[in-house]
Amino acid sequence: MTVMSVTAETRVDDHEGPWSIADVLALPEHPARARYELVDGVLMVSPAPSWDHQIVSCELLRRINSALVRSAAAFLAAGAVMVAEKSRLFLPDIAVVDRTAVQRGTLAVPLEAVLLLVEIVSPFSRSTDRILKPALYAEAKVPAYWRVELEPDVRVVVHELTVDTYREVATITGKEAVEVAGDFTVDLDVAALLDDLAD
């Protein structure tokens, strides 16, 4: 008897027809830590993030959480957690969500409960983070979207929702306080986001 090893790639390759959120959630963890997302039946797979990406994400999340504690705002922030709406499932780098939307065992929070989504642009995600995701997040009425660019220098591009599209309101490269949808303010120090890495 031949024993066949089932991997994430095998499951993906064997799938027929449009994907559902349940299909994606049933996938085993990718052996190379790739991330799965879903847009209207289409599975999107992106490579595991780099150290630069993750260090910036952790430091930015730390600053957002400090702001939430300081303001006592009724939100939770976490990195690389799932948010969903109908036939869409996203894994943003950081999500700030209504505290009441998260209970023990929650896998994906509905997009309607999201206040802020943050995406960190990588070489393989430029079009997704600059064009596709902002359009879909705005369609879902997520009040705020931050895009973090790592090249040539680190900067945070702040967007606010205006009716059904995002308006770029600031590009932060240094120290600045940024209000998030009128609910709390984050003290950013963009130049320090990669301080832990050697030159």
Side-chain angles (χ1 to χ4, degrees), residues 158-192:
V158 177
H159 298 82
E160 291 178 355
L161 188 65
T162 304
V163 187
D164 59 357
T165 189
Y166 285 122
R167 178 173 59 93
E168 185 178 316
V169 296
T171 298
I172 316 298
T173 58
K175 293 183 179 180
E176 192 166 331
V178 180
E179 189 178 84
V180 180
D183 286 286
F184 64 97
T185 300
V186 181
D187 292 325
L188 290 180
D189 184 356
V190 175

Side-chain angles (χ1 to χ4, degrees), residues 47 50 53 120-130 150-151:
S50 67
H53 181 288
I120 300 169
V121 178
S122 300
F124 51 80
S125 72
R126 291 187 184 106
S127 296
T128 303
D129 293 339
R130 293 173 183 166
L150 300 180
E151 299 293 340

